[in-house]
Amino acid sequence: ITMIVASIIGLINGLITSKTFIPSFITTLGMAMFIRGIMLAVSSGFIISYSGDTLIPRILSTDIWSVISSSTIMYLVLIAFSSVMLNRTRFGSWVIATGADEEAARQVGVSVSKIKLICFLLAGLMAGLAGMVSLGRFKIADVLMGQGMELEAIAAVVIGGTLLRGGRGSIIGVFLGVLTMGMIRSGLILLGVPAFWYRSFVGVILVLVAIINSYIMRIKR
């Protein structure tokens, strides 16, 4: 049910973006705020403890041989599968073409709207899966958990080599970008830097990578 609902939300985001032509960032940010507001109203702002079936949470968060969690293995499998899908399939080529130049993609027969809808649906699906993993690990549902990580996600993706205007990027690059952000967070903690300074570093990194992105785009032109 969680995966279905998350996929439907992603599909709605895709429909809004493709039909109104507004930036996808605005659509997804607005939808996140809308749903978070509903959840805050439903939960009255309280953290809800999970007391349902334990099978799925165990599958998603159990440590295997006390060395690596099942969610980490699942994450690596998804990275490998997504990388192959993006780089070795027709669908992946269509995604890159749509991101690079929508009009040119249409002229060669790519259904741009359909590609966008599928990408938004997959994004919703992955967000739902991430939420389930979080629930399995912490056994609580907290509406405010992950708040403010939107910019961290953007920074990680751009650090991984994805252009903000689309048309260039890789799953492996994003994976390395996520690792980089995680190492920065861990490094600051090990150095004894107060945790709230991490947000400042994220802001600086985001501006720097945006400047680099802009420079790369000018070179391409």
Side-chain angles (χ1 to χ4, degrees):
I1 292 173
T2 300
M3 302 293 278
I4 291 172
V5 172
S7 300
I8 291 173
I9 293 172
L11 189 61
I12 292 173
N13 284 334
L15 287 170
I16 293 173
T17 302
S18 60
K19 298 300 182 183
T20 62
F21 303 104
I22 63 176
S24 56
F25 177 76
I26 300 299
T27 306
T28 51
L29 183 61
M31 179 64 75
M33 294 176 68
F34 173 69
I35 294 176
R36 183 174 286 127
I38 293 176
M39 295 297 100
L40 282 170
V42 171
S43 64
S44 298
F46 291 104
I47 297 174
I48 300 174
S49 298
Y50 178 74
S51 58
D53 180 69
T54 59
L55 177 61
I56 298 300
R58 282 205 307 269
I59 292 174
L60 294 175
S61 61
T62 300
D63 289 339
I64 300 176
W65 301 305
S66 301
V67 175
I68 188 171
S69 66
S70 57
S71 60
T72 301
I73 295 177
M74 180 175 60
Y75 177 53
L76 295 175
V77 170
L78 283 172
I79 288 171
F81 174 77
S82 301
S83 183
V84 171
M85 184 173 67
L86 183 65
N87 298 315
R88 303 295 181 182
T89 67
R90 182 180 299 176
F91 172 74
S93 299
W94 288 348
V95 170
I96 294 174
T98 299
D101 191 329
E102 290 187 15
E103 189 57 39
R106 287 192 185 94
Q107 290 178 3
V108 297
V110 177
S111 178
V112 171
S113 296
K114 186 180 293 184
I115 292 297
K116 284 187 175 183
L117 286 177
I118 294 174
C119 287
F120 273 101
L121 189 147
L122 290 173
L125 189 69
M126 293 298 100
L129 181 59
M132 291 174 62
V133 171
S134 175
L135 182 67
R137 181 175 298 175
F138 299 109
K139 304 298 188 295
I140 59 170
D142 183 3
V143 180
L144 299 180
M145 183 178 292
Q147 188 174 24
M149 293 188 69
E150 298 89 350
L151 293 180
E152 291 186 39
I154 294 173
V157 169
V158 177
I159 287 174
T162 301
L163 292 180
L164 290 172
R165 297 185 181 180
R168 179 180 296 180
S170 69
I171 302 297
I172 301 300
V174 173
F175 170 63
L176 295 175
V178 172
L179 283 182
T180 300
M181 295 299 293
M183 287 189 290
I184 291 174
R185 182 192 292 270
S186 300
L188 291 175
I189 293 174
L190 291 173
L191 290 172
V193 178
F196 48 79
W197 278 104
Y198 175 70
R199 291 293 178 88
S200 299
F201 278 91
V202 172
V204 172
I205 290 171
L206 192 58
V207 172
L208 288 176
V209 294
I211 293 172
I212 294 172
N213 254 264
S214 178
Y215 178 72
I216 293 174
M217 290 300 298
R218 286 199 300 269
I219 291 177
K220 287 180 66 178
R221 290 177 182 176

